[in-house]
Structures are given as C-alpha cells and as structure tokens.
Amino acid sequence: MALGVRGRGASGQGLASETPVTATAPSSAVSSRRFLLWLYLVGFLDLFGVSMVVPLLNLHVRSLGVSPVVAGIVGSSYGILQLFSSTFVGCWSDVVGRRSSLLVCILLSALGYLLLGVSTNVFLFTLARVPVGVFKHTLSISRALLSDLVTEKERPLVLGQFNTASGVGFILGPVVGGYLTELDGGFYVTAFICCSVFLLNAGLVWLLPWRETSLHIPDKGWSLDGKHTTVPTKSEGTLQGAATTSAARRSERKVQAPWVEVMSALKDMKNLIFSALWDVFLMRLLMGVAVMLYYSNFVLALEERFEVRPKTTGYLISYTSALGTLAGFAVGPILRLYKHNSYMVLLHSSVLTCLLLVVYSTTGSMAMVVFSSTLLSFSTTIGRTCITDLQLSVGGAQTSGTIIGVGQSVTAVGRILAPLLSGVAQEISPCGPPSLGAALALVAILIMTLNRPPFSGDGSKSLKRE
C-alpha cells in the first residue's frame, strides 16, 4: 500500500511538526502500515467503549426518577452539543495538529464517562454528557489523520477499513455492556470500564510511532509510491481564497493566537461550503435522515406488521450490523471496478438504498424484509465511506479536519430531524418512516444527478467545481 503524508496549508503542525526522518522505501512502507494498524485499533476501542454504555443511557436516566419528557431533553443534549462543536473541533485539529487534538478529545471524553460512572442524580448525568458532547470527535479526527496519511486514490479503501475496525467494536460492545448491566451497579461498572478504555486509547495515541511515520513535507505536499518521488497533492476542488499560501500562514501564525486562526479558518470555510460543497452536504443530510427513518421504528414496525418479537428483531439487527462491518472490505474492490470514481459509487449506492427502502416499505413478506435489510447494510456502509471521500476531494486536504467536522454537524442535524419526522410519519402508518426515507433518498439522487461533477477516468479522482 502506497502511503503518503499530505501537507495541510491550514496547519504547519500535526504530522509535519514531528522531527523529519530519512527512511528507505521498504522501511517507510512498513512503519506507515504499522501506524495505520494502530489507528484501526484506536477506532475499534473507541466504539467498543462507547457502545457498552450508549444502549444503557435511557434505562439509567429513567432509573433516576425523571419523567420521559425530561429524559428525552437530557438525551437530546448530546446531539445539540455535537451539532455546535463538530465544526469547531475539526477546524481546531487543522490548526493545532491531529495528535494533540486527538489526545485532548480522548482524555476529556474519558472524563465524561468517569462522571457518568458516579451519576447518582440527573444533574450529574447531564453534567457528564457535556464533555462527551463537546469533545467526542475522536473518530472524526482519526479519519482526518488518515486522510492526511494516504493518497486520494487509496483514501476510500483506508477509510472503509477504519470503519470496519470501528464497526467490530460497535458489535462487541453492547454484548459486554448487556452482560455487565445484569450485575449489581452494573451501569456504573460499565461506565468506569468505558472510561478505562478511553484512557487506554489515550496511551495508545501517545505511544503511536509518529516519528517513524512523519516525513518532511514540502509546501505542495508529496506522496511516497515506493520511490522518493514527490507529486503535488493539492486538491483541484479547493476553492480559491479559501486558504492562504503556506508562507502567509506561517507568517500569520507568529502573531496570531490559535483561537484567532481557528476563527479565520472557519470564515474561509463558510465560503467553501456555500459555494462548492452545499450539494454534497445536502446529499449527506438527506441520505442520513432517510436511513435514520428506516431504523427509527424498525422494532415496532416488524412487531406490528409481522408479529415478530423484539428479541428476534434484535438478532436481525445484529446480523445486519455484522454485514455492514464486513462491507468495509468491499469498498476497495468496488472502487477499482468503478476506476476509483467515488461519485458514481455514491450515486449507485444511493439508488440501491432508495429502491431497498421502497421494497421494505411495501413488502408483505418477512423474507423480503431480511433480503432488503441485508443489502441495505452494504449500500449504506459504502455510501457513508464514499460521501466522506467526496467531501475531502472537493474541499481539499488543507482543511480536512474542518470538512469532516462540518459533515458530523450535518449528521447531528439529521439526528434532530429524524425523530420528529418519524413521529409524524408513524401517525399515518408503520411503513410511514421508511416510505418518507425513500422519498428523501430520491430527492438526494436528483440533486446528485443535476450537480454531477466532471470526472477524469485516468485512475485518479479529479473533481472540479466550476
């Protein structure tokens, strides 16, 4: 696997700030591969710890004696905090560097889960959700770091593998959490274990072989392809004026505080988002809400439509989650089949998702439900990976942390909208939410078709926004 470290004009720090080293191509490839495997482990532990606790949160807050309305308000506080913090934290990681921002986010998330472990009243519970809501962007920063490390051609494959490693943690975590919660004080034990997992992750990030992977980066960036060859890696999709030159950045950094540079970068990103990325983020919002609507009443709908018990539905959910994890391995072969055209893969996976939502909404057979759920686990996983890659291709590598952060904010908006739309649709029919999801997916497909970017099929992406 050819790995490269891509320069970030928005930050002279991160990997570029480490001590430059000179290494032969084979040893550098081995150390870079080892670095990726460490990051995959970090992603696995992250979701393993979180998924132990998250399914138990609603049950615990209700055990504190609050009403369902108060429990709902407390539960929504996390999504609201994520909405406003995602972009800022992503931009902050562009400015101060991935390593330091990732460490801070992991440690403060660990603090949140530690407070959760002593939350014997609703005030402590709400307080515990604040540091997690603001700083639980560890996976986003990890994805931005992966984007810095690999070439554009290999980015979807590496992101797919990272999502697969994280997904395995999400499958195993609820099993462990469900077992622990049967013990006396099981929720508190689970929260403390989650805190310990995050502390372990912080130790892993601290011990990561940054020095071995770091290489001197020229202003235009370079990519290691088995030889010491340098190639420009500045994305053609980067909006002119969205980022100043590297020399200007270095000059400004001497007199500007980090928070000033963060605010300046956010202002630059506003122009980029509204002129070149609006359709990409709108597609992400529509497709995200469509899939959330499908899952929103899945258990209830199967019970009402087919008299399937929740326990059996739980097995189906675990089955599709496992398939979604395995789908990460299919990203590479699929992209090679499409000659690394992430846009067309995203379009076709969205069409498949829309059709499967229609099948699920209209079928009278449980076998077709299983069939549609099986394929949906693949289409949604591949779609998520490709839309992240598309965002980075259009926005450019210089502000990858900010772009991923904005994407997470868009997802947070979807998490706020989906429950409201699902409640209204369920008043009409148990099939209402997935039917509405299919309609939203169709709108996303029309937007993608009408705003189709040019593509050069020479084996490397070239997405230009005129």
Side-chain angles (χ1 to χ4, degrees):
M1 178 180 291
L3 297 175
V5 181
R6 293 160 40 180
R8 295 194 307 272
S11 172
Q13 303 181 33
L15 292 177
S17 66
E18 304 294 331
T19 304
V21 299
T22 302
T24 61
S27 63
S28 177
V30 171
S31 64
S32 299
R33 180 61 183 171
R34 182 166 62 248
F35 190 89
L36 289 182
L37 293 176
W38 278 96
L39 279 180
Y40 294 161
L41 178 59
V42 169
F44 165 79
L45 290 174
D46 187 289
L47 276 190
F48 175 74
V50 169
S51 61
M52 283 195 300
V53 174
V54 169
L56 310 176
L57 289 178
N58 189 54
L59 181 64
H60 177 66
V61 73
R62 292 294 300 277
S63 71
L64 298 178
V66 301
S67 66
V69 175
V70 174
I73 294 174
V74 172
S76 65
S77 62
Y78 175 82
I80 295 173
L81 289 171
Q82 288 269 296
L83 171 63
F84 291 102
S85 63
S86 295
T87 303
F88 184 85
V89 172
C91 183
W92 175 56
S93 74
D94 286 332
V95 173
V96 304
R98 308 292 186 220
R99 185 187 192 185
S100 56
S101 58
L102 185 57
L103 273 173
V104 169
C105 286
I106 291 176
L107 289 173
L108 290 176
S109 296
L111 173 62
Y113 289 111
L114 177 63
L115 292 175
L116 200 62
V118 296
S119 58
T120 55
N121 56 64
V122 69
F123 173 76
L124 285 176
F125 183 92
T126 305
L127 182 63
R129 302 303 287 160
V130 173
V132 178
V134 175
F135 291 101
K136 180 57 183 74
H137 301 291
T138 48
L139 293 180
S140 298
I141 296 176
S142 297
R143 291 187 181 99
L145 177 56
L146 289 172
S147 175
D148 297 336
L149 285 172
V150 301
T151 61
E152 287 192 46
K153 183 177 179 180
E154 292 169 332
R155 184 172 58 208
L157 173 62
V158 172
L159 289 177
Q161 292 174 344
F162 179 79
N163 291 338
T164 297
S166 303
V168 172
F170 196 81
I171 292 173
L172 298 178
V175 177
V176 177
Y179 172 78
L180 292 174
T181 194
E182 297 292 332
L183 307 175
D184 290 336
F187 176 81
Y188 301 105
V189 173
T190 305
F192 282 126
I193 292 177
C194 180
C195 174
S196 301
V197 169
F198 271 77
L199 291 177
L200 173 61
N201 245 0
L204 290 176
V205 171
W206 179 263
L207 295 174
L208 276 174
W210 299 86
R211 180 181 297 271
E212 295 180 23
T213 308
S214 306
L215 296 162
H216 181 67
I217 303 175
D219 284 347
K220 291 186 178 180
W222 64 276
S223 175
L224 179 66
D225 59 358
K227 302 177 182 178
H228 289 91
T229 305
T230 60
V231 296
T233 57
K234 182 177 180 181
S235 173
E236 294 181 29
T238 305
L239 186 67
Q240 292 184 357
T244 58
T245 64
S246 299
R249 289 282 187 186
R250 286 193 293 268
S251 175
E252 292 173 1
R253 194 175 296 113
K254 295 179 181 178
V255 297
Q256 287 186 348
W259 70 270
V260 175
E261 190 171 353
V262 168
M263 297 307 297
S264 176
L266 287 174
K267 291 179 180 178
D268 292 338
M269 278 302 300
K270 182 179 68 173
N271 296 328
L272 177 62
I273 291 168
F274 284 105
S275 62
L277 282 168
W278 70 269
D279 52 344
V280 178
F281 286 122
L282 182 56
M283 288 186 297
R284 178 174 184 139
L285 176 62
L286 292 172
M287 292 304 301
V289 172
V291 175
M292 291 176 197
L293 287 171
Y294 162 72
Y295 285 110
S296 63
N297 73 329
F298 190 72
V299 176
L300 179 62
L302 290 190
E303 186 172 13
E304 292 185 3
R305 295 172 62 189
F306 304 103
E307 298 183 355
V308 176
R309 302 301 300 169
K311 183 179 180 180
T312 304
T313 305
Y315 290 137
L316 177 59
I317 294 174
S318 297
Y319 160 73
T320 55
S321 297
L323 288 180
T325 299
L326 294 176
F329 293 109
V331 173
I334 290 174
L335 280 170
R336 285 193 292 271
L337 179 64
Y338 278 79
K339 298 181 180 179
H340 298 278
N341 188 338
S342 292
Y343 177 83
M344 291 305 298
V345 177
L346 176 61
L347 178 59
H348 291 168
S349 68
S350 299
V351 170
L352 179 59
T353 297
C354 181
L355 292 176
L356 291 172
L357 289 175
V358 172
V359 170
Y360 167 75
S361 303
T362 57
T363 185
S365 167
M366 188 61 198
M368 289 302 296
V369 170
V370 175
F371 173 77
S372 60
S373 298
T374 299
L375 294 184
L376 272 170
S377 64
F378 281 91
S379 65
T380 54
T381 298
I382 293 170
R384 282 196 302 268
T385 302
C386 288
I387 201 164
T388 299
D389 180 62
L390 189 62
Q391 290 171 196
L392 294 170
S393 296
V394 177
Q398 294 179 336
T399 52
S400 56
T402 308
I403 291 171
I404 291 178
V406 175
Q408 292 301 312
S409 294
V410 171
T411 302
V413 172
R415 291 195 182 103
I416 295 172
L417 294 177
L420 301 175
L421 295 175
S422 177
V424 174
Q426 285 184 70
E427 294 291 335
I428 302 174
S429 166
C431 299
S435 299
L436 178 59
L440 294 177
L442 180 60
V443 174
I445 293 168
L446 292 176
I447 293 174
M448 294 170 69
T449 304
L450 295 175
N451 293 273
R452 180 175 178 175
F455 173 78
S456 62
D458 58 356
S460 62
K461 276 189 294 294
S462 177
L463 296 172
K464 293 185 180 181
R465 295 287 172 148
E466 299 298 338

